[in-house]
Amino acid sequence: MTDTATPSPLSGLKVVEFTHMVMGPTVGAILASLGAQVTRVEPIGGDRTRDLRGSGAGYFPMYNRHKSSICLDLKHPSGKKVARELVEGADILVENYRPGAMDRLGLGYEDCSTSNSRLIYSSQKGFLPGPYENRTALDEVAQMMGGLAYMTGPPGQPLRAGASVIDVTGGMFGVIGILAAVEERHRTGKGQKVQSSLFETTAYLVGQHMAQLAVTGASAKPMPVRVSAWAIYDVFETKDEPLFIGIVTDALWKKFCDIFDFEELWSDGSLRENNARVAARGKIMPQVCAIMKTMTKAEIIAKLDGTGIPFAPISKPDDLFNDPHLIASGALEKVNMPDGTQTALPALPIEMDGQLVARDASLSTASANAAQILTELGYSEEGIKELVADGATQIDQ
């Protein structure tokens, strides 16, 4: 399911995916976007994630493009046999079920690596092996336990981040582990098991705040009340819509003062160095805020654009569909949905050899590719009908 017109660095790698929700599918989505052939094994009737509503309605289309689908009953002997045959011909297996679930199905690492010593077996879990490993974890659980929710909300009001950042980042670490194992296999000829997790991923992300304690001797405060490293690093009210501006170097401070005619602030030599400006934030901010309120967002952007000063309008996710930069750069893929409608979703944000890794996609219906997959495994038309009649698989009509 690759397009030769776009970079496909992982072309030729075969991936079998036993996943649900976000973290595991993210691993397969990244590998597929990079050109790997990803076959998704779903339960009979399809992955229940397909039918989520509310904030989960976007999970499936976002993280399951560029994949083939086959539905198998993994508790049925024939369904399990097909799954084992897929694994035996695969380079990589991706799974994110509860600890022990794949072992009970006879699809654990020890079982699979016996018949395929080159297999790279990638597991995404809530926790790496340790006292917590058998707990059930979700993105939100990890954010709460790992300190991210504490750092995101105001004091006493922990708040999860506004996207599945731990699921997705944990999946990215899973891909890093897989690619490292692929490179090692080039030297040894052998596969291995690699794991990534939600909790340890969260710890890695908040590591900067842990290091802050080591450097300063003071615990990090939640982001809404933190002492910023810069005097101006804020969302400002304008005449109409808010805008973020950040002044992160002394050179940008001079430029900022020139653009907005802050002659009094620039003439104060004691404010020429960043740390001194942070200490004088109470003096600086009222003057800056007052000026920003006299202009519209568009007027301020016109002054800042092209200057090198970091700024950003406050966008909603819906705004990105029409973002001129994303459209011009080709960073939105056209995706055909199962109901026949078409949308555009963010492509993998990687450019290789001057070209984005992006290609249009169709989202497979459940078991849409079952007949083709089974034929490639050597099953006859009669054998496929038998599997369907036995309830071991289904053929999407």
Side-chain angles (χ1 to χ4, degrees), residues 234-245 292-301 311-316 319:
D234 299 87
V235 174
F236 292 92
E237 291 183 25
T238 72
K239 286 180 72 173
D240 47 15
E241 300 176 50
L243 187 77
F244 169 83
I245 301 173
M292 296 303 161
K293 287 180 180 179
T294 67
M295 292 179 281
T296 65
K297 179 184 74 171
E299 289 170 339
I300 296 172
I301 288 176
F311 71 91
I314 313 303
S315 300
K316 301 191 297 282
D319 298 331

Side-chain angles (χ1 to χ4, degrees), residues 96-118:
N96 73 321
Y97 287 105
R98 284 177 60 88
M102 293 290 281
D103 295 288
R104 289 190 292 273
L105 292 168
L107 294 167
Y109 174 66
E110 298 301 329
D111 293 306
C112 293
S113 62
T114 298
S115 57
N116 184 354
S117 63
R118 290 176 55 82

Side-chain angles (χ1 to χ4, degrees), residues 88-324:
E88 286 168 8
D91 294 285
I92 299 158
L93 182 152
V94 179
E95 68 89 15
N96 73 321
Y97 287 105
R98 284 177 60 88
M102 293 290 281
D103 295 288
R104 289 190 292 273
L105 292 168
L107 294 167
Y109 174 66
E110 298 301 329
D111 293 306
C112 293
S113 62
T114 298
S115 57
N116 184 354
S117 63
R118 290 176 55 82
L119 182 69
I120 294 165
Y121 193 105
S122 175
S123 290
Q124 284 71 55
K125 301 300 180 190
F127 306 89
L128 293 181
Y132 302 156
E133 64 182 297
N134 290 315
R135 291 187 186 182
T136 299
L138 304 167
D139 189 296
E140 200 138 343
V141 169
Q143 290 195 38
M144 298 294 171
M145 287 186 67
L148 182 59
Y150 170 85
M151 290 301 302
T152 303
Q157 299 178 51
L159 182 67
R160 67 155 287 160
S164 300
V165 292
I166 305 303
D167 276 323
V168 175
T169 309
M172 291 166 63
F173 281 128
V175 173
I176 292 170
I178 287 169
L179 296 182
V182 169
E183 175 60 26
E184 187 166 27
R185 190 175 68 180
H186 290 157
R187 299 191 298 272
T188 66
K190 293 184 178 181
Q192 60 181 286
K193 184 176 182 178
V194 296
Q195 293 192 80
S196 63
S197 71
L198 296 172
F199 181 57
E200 282 81 0
T201 290
T202 313
Y204 192 89
L205 293 183
V206 302
Q208 67 190 82
H209 303 305
M210 297 167 67
Q212 181 179 334
L213 173 62
V215 171
T216 67
S219 297
K221 293 182 179 180
M223 297 298 276
V225 296
R226 73 192 184 283
V227 176
S228 175
W230 301 285
I232 296 177
Y233 200 79
D234 299 87
V235 174
F236 292 92
E237 291 183 25
T238 72
K239 286 180 72 173
D240 47 15
E241 300 176 50
L243 187 77
F244 169 83
I245 301 173
I247 307 301
V248 294
T249 69
D250 296 336
L252 289 179
W253 169 246
K254 182 181 189 310
K255 191 174 291 187
F256 182 72
C257 289
D258 289 343
I259 290 170
F260 291 100
D261 297 322
F262 288 124
E263 296 179 6
E264 179 184 342
L265 289 174
W266 177 250
S267 65
D268 186 344
S270 69
L271 301 178
R272 300 288 173 85
E273 195 276 329
N274 178 69
N275 289 345
R277 290 194 297 276
V278 172
R281 178 176 161 84
K283 172 184 177 180
I284 295 171
M285 282 298 288
Q287 297 183 56
V288 174
C289 288
I291 291 295
M292 296 303 161
K293 287 180 180 179
T294 67
M295 292 179 281
T296 65
K297 179 184 74 171
E299 289 170 339
I300 296 172
I301 288 176
K303 286 179 174 289
L304 294 176
D305 208 3
T307 66
I309 292 176
F311 71 91
I314 313 303
S315 300
K316 301 191 297 282
D318 293 4
D319 298 331
L320 301 185
F321 286 112
N322 299 306
D323 184 272

Side-chain angles (χ1 to χ4, degrees), residues 15-34 38-43 47-50 52 56 58-68 93-97 122-125 164 166-175 178 196 198 348 363:
V15 182
V16 181
E17 183 184 314
F18 301 84
T19 69
H20 64 142
M21 299 298 277
V22 177
M23 190 186 189
T26 295
V27 176
I30 295 172
L31 296 174
S33 291
L34 291 170
V38 178
T39 300
R40 202 162 188 282
V41 178
E42 302 184 47
D47 181 358
R48 304 304 178 259
T49 308
R50 288 178 176 271
L52 286 178
Y59 291 173
F60 200 88
M62 182 62 200
Y63 303 111
N64 289 286
R65 289 168 278 165
H66 309 298
K67 301 177 184 179
S68 299
L93 182 152
V94 179
E95 68 89 15
N96 73 321
Y97 287 105
S122 175
S123 290
Q124 284 71 55
K125 301 300 180 190
S164 300
I166 305 303
D167 276 323
V168 175
T169 309
M172 291 166 63
F173 281 128
V175 173
I178 287 169
S196 63
L198 296 172
L348 198 66
L363 195 65

